[in-house]
Coordinates of all heavy atoms in Angstrom, one line a residue:
D95 N 79.8 83.0 85.8 CA 81.0 82.2 86.0 C 81.6 81.6 84.7 O 82.8 81.6 84.5 CB 80.7 81.1 87.0 CG 80.7 81.6 88.5 OD1 81.1 82.7 88.7 OD2 80.1 80.9 89.3
M96 N 80.7 81.1 83.9 CA 81.1 80.5 82.6 C 81.7 81.6 81.7 O 82.7 81.3 81.0 CB 79.9 79.8 81.9 CG 79.5 78.5 82.6 SD 78.1 77.6 82.0 CE 77.9 78.1 80.3
V97 N 81.1 82.8 81.6 CA 81.6 83.8 80.8 C 83.0 84.3 81.3 O 83.9 84.4 80.5 CB 80.6 85.0 80.8 CG1 81.3 86.3 80.3 CG2 79.4 84.7 80.0
A98 N 83.1 84.4 82.6 CA 84.4 84.8 83.2 C 85.5 83.8 82.9 O 86.6 84.1 82.5 CB 84.3 85.0 84.7
G99 N 85.1 82.5 83.0 CA 86.1 81.4 82.6 C 86.5 81.5 81.2 O 87.6 81.3 80.8
S100 N 85.5 81.8 80.3 CA 85.8 81.9 78.9 C 86.7 83.1 78.5 O 87.7 82.9 77.7 CB 84.5 82.1 78.1 OG 83.7 80.9 78.2
V101 N 86.5 84.2 79.2 CA 87.4 85.4 79.0 C 88.7 85.1 79.5 O 89.8 85.3 78.8 CB 86.8 86.6 79.7 CG1 87.8 87.8 79.7 CG2 85.5 87.1 79.0
R102 N 88.8 84.5 80.7 CA 90.1 84.1 81.2 C 90.9 83.1 80.3 O 92.1 83.3 80.0 CB 90.0 83.5 82.6 CG 91.3 83.2 83.3 CD 91.2 82.3 84.5 NE 92.4 82.1 85.2 CZ 93.4 81.3 84.7 NH1 93.3 80.7 83.5 NH2 94.5 81.1 85.4
R103 N 90.2 82.1 79.8 CA 90.8 81.1 79.0 C 91.3 81.8 77.7 O 92.4 81.4 77.2 CB 89.8 80.0 78.7 CG 90.2 78.9 77.8 CD 91.1 77.9 78.5 NE 91.4 76.8 77.7 CZ 91.4 75.5 78.2 NH1 91.1 75.3 79.4 NH2 91.7 74.6 77.4
S104 N 90.6 82.8 77.2 CA 91.1 83.4 76.0 C 92.4 84.1 76.1 O 93.1 84.4 75.1 CB 90.0 84.4 75.5 OG 90.0 85.6 76.2
Y105 N 92.8 84.4 77.3 CA 94.1 85.1 77.5 C 95.2 84.1 77.9 O 96.4 84.5 78.1 CB 94.0 86.1 78.6 CG 93.3 87.4 78.1 CD1 92.0 87.5 78.2 CD2 94.1 88.4 77.5 CE1 91.3 88.6 77.7 CE2 93.5 89.5 77.0 CZ 92.1 89.6 77.1 OH 91.5 90.7 76.6
N106 N 94.9 82.8 77.9 CA 95.9 81.8 78.3 C 96.5 81.3 77.0 O 96.0 80.4 76.3 CB 95.2 80.6 79.0 CG 96.2 79.6 79.5 OD1 97.3 79.6 79.1 ND2 95.8 78.8 80.5
I107 N 97.6 81.9 76.6 CA 98.2 81.6 75.3 C 98.8 80.2 75.2 O 99.1 79.7 74.1 CB 99.2 82.6 74.8 CG1 100.4 82.7 75.9 CG2 98.6 84.0 74.6 CD1 101.5 83.6 75.5
S108 N 99.0 79.5 76.3 CA 99.5 78.2 76.3 C 98.5 77.1 75.9 O 98.8 76.0 75.6 CB 100.1 77.8 77.7 OG 99.1 77.7 78.7
K109 N 97.2 77.5 75.8 CA 96.1 76.6 75.4 C 95.8 76.8 74.0 O 95.6 78.0 73.5 CB 94.9 76.9 76.2 CG 95.0 76.7 77.7 CD 95.3 75.3 78.1 CE 95.3 75.1 79.6 NZ 95.6 73.8 80.0
T110 N 95.8 75.8 73.2 CA 95.6 75.9 71.7 C 94.1 76.3 71.4 O 93.9 76.8 70.3 CB 95.9 74.6 71.0 OG1 95.1 73.5 71.6 CG2 97.4 74.2 71.2
D111 N 93.2 76.1 72.3 CA 91.8 76.4 72.1 C 91.4 77.8 72.7 O 90.2 78.0 72.8 CB 90.9 75.3 72.6 CG 91.0 75.1 74.1 OD1 91.9 75.7 74.8 OD2 90.2 74.3 74.7
N112 N 92.4 78.6 73.1 CA 92.1 79.8 73.8 C 91.2 80.8 73.1 O 90.4 81.5 73.7 CB 93.4 80.5 74.3 CG 94.1 81.1 73.1 OD1 94.2 80.5 72.0 ND2 94.8 82.2 73.4
K113 N 91.1 80.8 71.8 CA 90.3 81.7 71.0 C 88.9 81.2 70.8 O 87.9 82.0 70.6 CB 90.9 82.0 69.7 CG 92.3 82.6 69.7 CD 92.3 84.0 70.4 CE 93.7 84.6 70.4 NZ 93.9 85.5 71.5
I114 N 88.7 80.0 70.9 CA 87.3 79.4 70.7 C 86.3 79.8 71.7 O 85.2 80.2 71.4 CB 87.4 77.8 70.7 CG1 88.3 77.4 69.5 CG2 86.0 77.2 70.6 CD1 88.6 75.9 69.5
Y115 N 86.7 79.8 73.0 CA 85.8 80.2 74.1 C 85.2 81.6 73.9 O 84.0 81.8 74.0 CB 86.4 80.0 75.4 CG 86.7 78.5 75.7 CD1 87.9 77.9 75.3 CD2 85.8 77.8 76.5 CE1 88.1 76.6 75.6 CE2 86.0 76.5 76.8 CZ 87.2 75.9 76.3 OH 87.5 74.6 76.6
K116 N 86.1 82.5 73.6 CA 85.7 83.9 73.5 C 84.9 84.1 72.2 O 83.9 85.0 72.2 CB 86.9 84.8 73.6 CG 86.5 86.3 73.8 CD 87.6 87.0 74.4 CE 87.7 88.4 74.2 NZ 89.0 88.9 74.5
S117 N 85.2 83.4 71.2 CA 84.4 83.6 69.9 C 82.9 83.2 70.1 O 82.1 83.8 69.5 CB 85.0 82.8 68.8 OG 84.8 81.4 69.0
I118 N 82.6 82.3 71.0 CA 81.3 81.9 71.3 C 80.5 83.1 71.9 O 79.3 83.3 71.6 CB 81.2 80.7 72.2 CG1 81.8 79.5 71.4 CG2 79.8 80.4 72.6 CD1 82.1 78.3 72.2
I119 N 81.1 83.9 72.8 CA 80.4 84.9 73.5 C 80.7 86.3 72.9 O 80.1 87.3 73.4 CB 80.8 84.9 75.0 CG1 82.3 85.1 75.2 CG2 80.3 83.7 75.7 CD1 82.8 85.4 76.6
Q120 N 81.5 86.4 71.9 CA 81.9 87.7 71.4 C 80.8 88.7 71.1 O 80.9 89.9 71.4 CB 82.8 87.5 70.1 CG 83.4 88.8 69.5 CD 84.5 89.3 70.5 OE1 85.3 88.6 71.0 NE2 84.4 90.6 70.7
R121 N 79.7 88.2 70.5 CA 78.6 89.1 70.2 C 77.9 89.8 71.4 O 77.2 90.8 71.2 CB 77.6 88.4 69.3 CG 76.8 87.3 70.0 CD 75.9 86.6 69.0 NE 75.2 85.5 69.7 CZ 74.0 85.6 70.2 NH1 73.3 86.7 70.0 NH2 73.5 84.5 70.8
H122 N 78.2 89.2 72.6 CA 77.6 89.8 73.8 C 78.5 90.8 74.5 O 78.1 91.4 75.4 CB 77.2 88.6 74.8 CG 76.2 87.7 74.2 ND1 74.9 88.0 74.2 CD2 76.3 86.5 73.7 CE1 74.2 87.0 73.7 NE2 75.0 86.1 73.4
I123 N 79.7 90.8 74.1 CA 80.7 91.7 74.8 C 80.5 93.2 74.4 O 80.7 93.5 73.3 CB 82.2 91.2 74.5 CG1 82.4 89.8 75.0 CG2 83.2 92.2 75.1 CD1 83.7 89.2 74.6

Side-chain angles (χ1 to χ4, degrees):
D95 283 345
M96 289 178 22
V97 166
S100 296
V101 170
R102 184 192 182 290
R103 180 79 173 218
S104 74
Y105 284 90
N106 188 341
I107 58 173
S108 68
K109 302 291 183 184
T110 58
D111 62 354
N112 69 325
K113 301 296 180 205
I114 295 170
Y115 291 86
K116 196 157 155 195
S117 69
I118 295 168
I119 59 171
Q120 187 65 48
R121 67 186 177 98
H122 296 285
I123 297 174

